Amino acid sequence: MSEWIQTIFTFLADLGYVGVALALMIEVIPSEIVLSYAGYLVSRGEISFIGAVIAGTIGGTLAQLFLYWMGYYGGRPFLDKYGKYLLIHQKHLDLAEEWFRKYGTGVIFTARFIPVVRHAISIPAGIAKMSWTRFTFYTTCAVIPWSIFFIYLGEKLGSNWQQIDEMARPYLKPIIVGAIVLTALYVLYRLRKNK
């Protein structure tokens, strides 16, 4: 982490539950790191596991709603012009738009577990004017297990929480494969339903 990100992270970490939610909302630091640090705080008894999951779910969902609203009100031209300032890369946006166009609204849940697509998928949902209640429901349903997973691993790692990538890697591969399989099953279901 760069020095200024480390400074922001340290400041937010001292705020407990509010800090966890805010750190996820601003999305400067990857959610895996924020949530594993929350798990470390749980291991120290500074916050509770349930409280950390609630804060993680609120912060993670609001971050995605912010991206959804950017797509909804700003559209692609706005994101092409200002996305780089918000760390939204055009290639990620292209990929997410392609996924959304191919797989429809149901992909909002499964895409949350797939790298690269995970953060950008909210934008094409907004551009397509997907119902925000449906969007929020799918997003929250995906953010809860994601939060539980990384907070749990962070709690187990304790003071070694920064090794989260190493610890999570063996678990993430089957999760990603499972998400892709679920997406494929959803697409097949939609195709059969449309016929």
Side-chain angles (χ1 to χ4, degrees):
M1 274 191 278
S2 68
E3 196 175 321
W4 71 274
I5 290 178
Q6 182 69 53
T7 305
I8 293 169
F9 186 61
T10 307
F11 169 74
L12 292 172
D14 290 339
L15 298 176
Y17 300 116
V18 174
V20 170
L22 285 174
L24 289 166
M25 282 168 59
I26 59 173
E27 285 208 331
V28 174
I29 306 153
S31 62
E32 302 91 312
I33 293 172
V34 175
L35 293 168
S36 62
Y37 186 78
Y40 166 62
L41 294 178
V42 170
S43 74
R44 288 171 51 96
E46 293 183 31
I47 60 176
S48 74
F49 187 87
I50 298 293
V53 171
I54 292 168
T57 302
I58 291 169
T61 303
L62 286 176
Q64 296 309 312
L65 274 168
F66 175 66
L67 294 173
Y68 165 84
W69 286 323
M70 276 202 307
Y72 194 96
Y73 294 109
R76 186 67 196 248
F78 172 83
L79 291 155
D80 285 340
K81 191 171 183 181
Y82 299 108
K84 61 186 174 192
Y85 302 112
L86 301 164
L87 306 176
I88 299 166
H89 302 289
Q90 196 165 348
K91 60 182 178 180
H92 299 162
L93 194 52
D94 291 341
L95 184 61
E97 263 189 334
E98 188 184 330
W99 268 66
F100 193 82
R101 195 169 41 249
K102 269 188 191 173
Y103 308 126
T105 58
V107 78
I108 293 298
F109 175 81
T110 54
R112 298 283 173 221
F113 304 98
I114 300 167
V116 180
V117 182
R118 180 171 70 235
H119 299 298
I121 198 70
S122 305
I123 296 167
I127 293 170
K129 309 294 187 207
M130 178 183 178
S131 154
W132 77 269
T133 49
R134 207 164 161 206
F135 172 83
T136 305
F137 174 75
Y138 284 137
T139 300
T140 305
C141 287
V143 170
I144 291 170
W146 186 260
S147 298
I148 290 170
F149 176 69
F150 281 101
I151 291 167
Y152 173 77
L153 290 183
E155 183 183 12
K156 292 295 161 201
L157 284 167
S159 58
N160 297 316
W161 66 271
Q162 289 183 330
Q163 294 172 6
I164 191 64
D165 284 345
E166 201 178 303
M167 176 113 173
R169 199 173 296 123
Y171 300 102
L172 284 178
K173 283 182 184 174
I175 289 171
I176 292 165
V177 170
I180 292 169
V181 168
L182 278 173
T183 303
L185 290 172
Y186 172 77
V187 170
L188 288 171
Y189 165 75
R190 285 284 299 270
L191 288 171
R192 288 190 68 178
K193 193 179 175 186
N194 289 344
K195 282 181 183 177

